[in-house]
Amino acid sequence: MNPENLREIERDIASALIFSADGYLLMGRKDPSSGGVYPDAWHIPGGGVEPGESLKQAAIREVEQEVGLKLEPSQLKPVATGTGATAKTLPSGERVWCKMTFHRFVAHLNLPKDQLQPRPGDDLVELAWYSPQDLKHVQQIP
């Protein structure tokens, strides 16, 4: 399934489905010119697990880096694990085939979206809150 026969790497990814008290999901869009994986789709905040980090620690770090929200470990509940693979452009410019295991958590916040102040950071350039109905029309990762 590596159509370009690229060098293969494996990554564990920790991410969080963050819901406001009024039921909206926070998602971010990457800068398509910055590389990474799925650069032209909307993502839930998350990223690679660093050596020595637990999955929850990685999800908390990634959420803070990408959307500026500070979560506590007790707010994160594991919900699903899945796998995927796609081409990825590394910061060096090298294209690799990235095999990923996605570890997803859910966090329900106590405030409505209008009272939360997420900010784009790290590799996300735009943030938006989506209702469940809106998600049908959003280009998301596969």
Side-chain angles (χ1 to χ4, degrees):
M1 187 169 161
N2 180 349
E4 300 174 51
N5 203 26
L6 299 170
R7 179 173 69 90
E8 295 186 1
I9 64 171
E10 293 187 16
R11 297 278 318 243
D12 279 308
I13 307 296
S15 55
L17 295 125
I18 300 171
F19 288 94
S20 64
D22 49 351
Y24 287 81
L25 175 66
L26 181 62
M27 297 188 79
R29 191 178 61 77
K30 293 183 176 187
D31 177 355
S33 67
S34 68
V37 296
Y38 310 117
D40 208 19
W42 285 86
H43 299 244
I44 59 174
V49 178
E50 300 294 334
E53 267 185 326
S54 72
L55 296 173
K56 275 190 178 183
Q57 288 170 331
I60 288 167
R61 176 184 51 76
E62 287 288 341
V63 166
E64 186 169 0
Q65 288 175 347
E66 292 189 347
V67 301
L69 297 175
K70 294 183 182 190
L71 300 178
E72 295 296 323
S74 61
Q75 291 178 281
L76 293 174
K77 306 295 181 218
V79 290
T81 300
T83 60
T86 189
K88 174 181 181 169
T89 303
L90 299 176
S92 66
E94 178 188 8
R95 285 179 45 80
V96 297
W97 188 252
C98 188
K99 295 179 176 181
M100 296 163 285
T101 301
F102 298 100
H103 305 274
R104 296 177 193 95
F105 296 89
V106 66
H108 293 276
L109 304 182
N110 294 326
L111 295 172
K113 69 178 178 63
D114 295 340
Q115 293 181 26
L116 294 164
Q117 301 289 320
R119 57 167 171 66
D122 199 16
D123 60 346
L124 298 180
V125 295
E126 184 180 0
L127 300 177
W129 292 99
Y130 289 103
S131 71
Q133 299 80 14
D134 294 337
L135 286 173
K136 299 173 195 169
H137 309 288
V138 175
Q139 181 180 347
Q140 301 176 51
I141 66 171

